[in-house]
Amino acid sequence: MSFRRGVVRQSKFRHVFAQAWKAEHCIDDVRVSRVTWDSPLCAVNPKFLAVIIEAGGGGAFLVVPISKSGRIDQSCPTVCGHAAPVLDIQWSPHDDNIIASASEDCTVKVWQIPDGGLLSPMTEASVTLEGHSKRVGILAWHPAAFNILLSAGCDNVICVWNVGSGELVYQLSDAHPDLIYSVSWNKDGSAVCTVCKDKALRIIDPRRGTVLKVREKVHDGTRPMRAVFLSDGKILTTGFSRMSERQLALWDTKDLSEPIAVQEMDTSNGVLLPFYDPDTNMIYLCGKGDCTIRYFEVTDESPYVHFISLYSSKEPQRGAGFLCKRGVDVNKCEIARFYKLHERKVEPISMTVPRKSDLFQVDLYPDTASLDPALLADEWIAGQDASPLLFSLSGGYTPPPSKQRDTLRSKPKLASQDSGGGATPPSPSHIAGPIPCAPTSAAKEAAEELLQPQVATSETDGNTENPKKEDDLLNELLAEMKALRAVVLAQSQRIELLERQLARIEDGDV
């Protein structure tokens, strides 16, 4: 199909210019996975690039700093803890050092990558989530709630996890009669949209486990489909027509009887993977096996989905990673960046809007999602919803060092998690005074004094037990104090978040 522009439409994205980086900035000798699963095979954030690779005897993916270029040595350490091929990987939106992986071994694993990258192979995951009976191929982090992760498997089941406690909090086993092709959260994380092998589009409330709306036969073709929630609540789907032409369609969730817009493109067999930028309302379509990347702007004006242009190259893509807005170069008016996977190479591709001025372009960079979560896991589970917290890219963005937050199950749980959700977070109106400080060496001395009466008693009773028992008691008490310190720090972060929310309410931002 040839795209006609017709009347020239006013848009600041009409002249988006796509350009591949020079060869010296590419990453070479990357053995990209040959798995047949239709996933991007790549995930990227402002700190790291992760690529699923070929691995003998299990599943592995490569993690390197985003600044890495040149040849990857065959001895480069990888994340290799899965017993079968990895199918999907996703970075946490609230911690650039946390990545989740899904595998054919029926598990989801969460890994904490050290600043600077891996120095040795990583085989032990920080958290292992087991709840699927068949291979797991889809992962999606909650956009606003900390530590909430969704997974979907070939058992037609959707699981929602609290990564901080390692608990399965919701399971939807009856919503889909066949293989799930894709899952996407809406803006505030109150609902998800899914497409399935039965060709139906579903809008689901994961907390209540109910299907809110269903649209049968979103696309008539039998090939896999994809769906993504847009920031205004609409849904964009990609699929195939009855004549095997690739299509995209825009749907209004208020009325799913007919699509708002439908566009047909070509007759290629590759599944179209949609990458959505909520800040600019642009959609980028990367077909697996294609040599092109098409991009569109979604507006409220007919025909609603406006074709802008396409990037074309000689080499087909095996997959692609889409960098979030925090990682782009605002000084070069870069609005998006892809990491295109070749058979043995990763090639960055920048999308820029040429401007003559060197000043920060406010219209190109509205406030974007920050690392700070709007909600804690317990708050979302309790029924709260919130849109992602935003911040300005003026002056650029520098990724902070790893905060080592209470993300992993091996760390102490919050009080509300230990008590099964009975405890409630402190109200902002009750916050006063400084946060309690962590235990000091004086506290350790007090602990030793507490143990002295127990030791004296054992001596007067003529007890001749090994003196190592005293050290064991002391070590046990010190371990409990360390756990208490971790809980205090976690509660401190919780209170800081509530204080920020209270300040926003007082300033009228909410």
Side-chain angles (χ1 to χ4, degrees):
M1 175 181 176
S2 61
F3 294 93
R4 301 185 180 89
R5 290 188 181 278
V7 179
V8 175
R9 184 179 61 91
Q10 295 298 319
S11 170
K12 52 183 171 287
F13 303 115
R14 277 183 53 225
H15 302 293
V16 173
F17 177 64
Q19 186 174 29
W21 290 21
K22 294 181 179 179
E24 57 264 28
H25 299 302
C26 297
I27 302 177
D28 299 309
D29 280 353
V30 179
R31 307 184 310 279
V32 178
S33 173
R34 295 181 177 275
V35 68
T36 56
W37 188 255
D38 288 321
S39 78
L41 303 179
C42 179
V44 61
N45 68 22
K47 277 188 181 180
F48 299 106
L49 169 72
V51 180
I52 302 175
I53 60 173
E54 283 290 299
F61 58 95
L62 179 73
V63 177
V64 295
I66 195 172
S67 58
K68 171 71 176 174
S69 62
R71 181 177 174 274
I72 295 292
D73 192 274
Q74 297 302 311
S75 61
C76 182
T78 61
V79 180
C80 49
H82 282 286
V86 177
L87 300 180
D88 195 15
I89 48 177
Q90 294 290 333
W91 290 103
S92 167
H94 302 126
D95 190 331
D96 284 340
N97 294 73
I98 299 297
I99 187 170
S101 59
S103 168
E104 288 187 4
D105 64 9
C106 308
T107 67
V108 175
K109 294 180 183 286
V110 181
W111 316 81
Q112 180 142 10
I113 308 300
D115 285 330
L118 300 178
L119 299 178
S120 60
M122 183 174 284
T123 58
E124 292 296 325
S126 300
V127 181
T128 298
L129 307 173
E130 298 177 344
H132 290 279
S133 59
K134 294 185 179 180
R135 60 181 180 168
V136 189
I138 298 172
L139 294 173
W141 290 92
H142 192 287
F146 190 46
N147 279 347
I148 296 295
L149 175 65
L150 180 148
S151 64
C154 293
D155 51 6
N156 311 334
V157 172
I158 289 179
C159 295
V160 181
W161 309 87
N162 180 353
V163 174
S165 62
E167 296 170 339
L168 175 61
V169 291
Y170 300 108
Q171 187 174 50
L172 290 77
S173 55
D174 301 325
H176 300 88
D178 213 327
L179 179 66
I180 302 168
Y181 284 142
S182 79
V183 181
S184 174
W185 292 94
N186 66 351
K187 184 178 180 180
D188 63 3
S190 60
V192 297
C193 68
T194 69
V195 283
C196 177
K197 196 172 182 179
D198 66 355
K199 304 181 184 179
L201 168 68
R202 292 173 175 84
I203 302 174
I204 299 172
D205 183 338
R207 285 175 294 202
R208 290 189 294 170
T210 56
V211 178
L212 305 177
K213 292 188 178 182
V214 180
R215 160 68 191 192
E216 305 290 344
K217 283 197 175 182
V218 177
H219 296 277
D220 291 328
T222 57
R223 299 275 297 154
M225 301 179 293
R226 291 290 184 273
V228 59
F229 250 120
L230 307 188
S231 58
D232 60 0
K234 296 184 179 68
I235 296 175
L236 187 135
T237 61
T238 64
F240 294 79
S241 69
R242 186 179 287 105
M243 304 301 292
S244 296
E245 293 177 304
R246 293 197 294 189
Q247 295 178 324
L248 67 83
L250 184 66
W251 304 84
D252 188 343
T253 52
K254 298 176 183 177
D255 181 9
L256 293 176
S257 59
E258 291 294 333
I260 301 174
V262 177
Q263 288 196 23
E264 295 181 348
M265 281 166 279
D266 54 30
T267 55
S268 177
N269 290 326
V271 176
L272 285 170
L273 304 178
F275 296 92
Y276 175 58
D277 180 358
D279 303 332
T280 60
N281 230 29
M282 288 183 64
I283 287 280
Y284 302 85
L285 300 183
C286 298
K288 298 201 77 170
D290 286 7
C291 299
T292 60
I293 299 175
R294 294 176 173 86
Y295 36 106
F296 303 77
E297 183 180 3
V298 182
T299 69
D300 294 329
E301 306 169 1
S302 179
Y304 304 104
V305 182
H306 305 270
F307 174 74
I308 295 177
S309 185
L310 59 83
Y311 165 80
S312 182
S313 62
K314 296 180 181 179
E315 296 289 331
Q317 57 225 12
R318 300 281 299 280
F322 184 61
L323 180 62
C324 67
K325 194 59 65 69
R326 289 184 290 112
V328 301
D329 189 344
V330 298
N331 297 319
K332 295 181 179 178
C333 295
E334 183 183 40
I335 62 168
R337 188 189 306 168
F338 284 88
Y339 285 79
K340 175 181 174 179
L341 302 186
H342 298 250
E343 190 168 349
R344 292 187 66 90
K345 182 173 78 170
V346 181
E347 178 185 41
I349 300 171
S350 288
M351 309 283 182
T352 58
V353 178
R355 293 283 173 91
K356 293 181 180 179
S357 174
D358 293 332
L359 300 176
F360 177 71
Q361 305 296 310
V362 179
D363 60 326
L364 296 182
Y365 301 103
D367 289 354
T368 191
S370 72
L371 270 179
D372 295 321
L375 296 171
L376 295 175
D378 290 344
E379 295 170 335
W380 180 79
I381 294 169
Q384 296 186 41
D385 292 315
S387 296
L389 300 180
L390 307 179
F391 80 110
S392 173
L393 284 172
S394 177
Y397 173 78
T398 302
S402 176
K403 294 183 179 180
Q404 299 289 332
R405 291 183 283 196
D406 186 27
T407 305
L408 311 180
R409 182 171 53 178
S410 57
K411 297 182 180 180
K413 302 174 187 176
L414 297 179
S416 58
Q417 293 172 338
D418 286 333
S419 59
T424 56
S427 170
S429 61
H430 291 85
I431 297 172
I435 305 300
C437 61
T440 62
S441 58
K444 295 180 181 179
E445 294 175 3
E448 293 174 356
E449 291 176 5
L450 287 173
L451 286 178
Q452 284 178 1
Q454 299 177 11
V455 176
T457 303
S458 64
E459 290 175 353
T460 54
D461 291 342
N463 192 344
T464 58
E465 291 183 1
N466 193 325
K468 287 185 178 180
K469 184 177 180 181
E470 303 168 12
D471 295 335
D472 293 340
L473 290 171
L474 178 60
N475 290 334
E476 182 179 350
L477 184 57
L478 292 177
E480 291 178 359
M481 294 178 66
K482 288 180 180 178
L484 176 62
R485 178 179 181 274
V487 171
V488 170
L489 292 175
Q491 295 288 12
S492 169
Q493 294 167 359
R494 197 170 189 165
I495 292 172
E496 288 175 4
L497 175 62
L498 290 169
E499 287 176 334
R500 285 198 299 271
Q501 293 175 341
L502 178 63
R504 292 177 63 226
I505 293 172
E506 293 176 342
D507 293 340
D509 294 339
V510 177

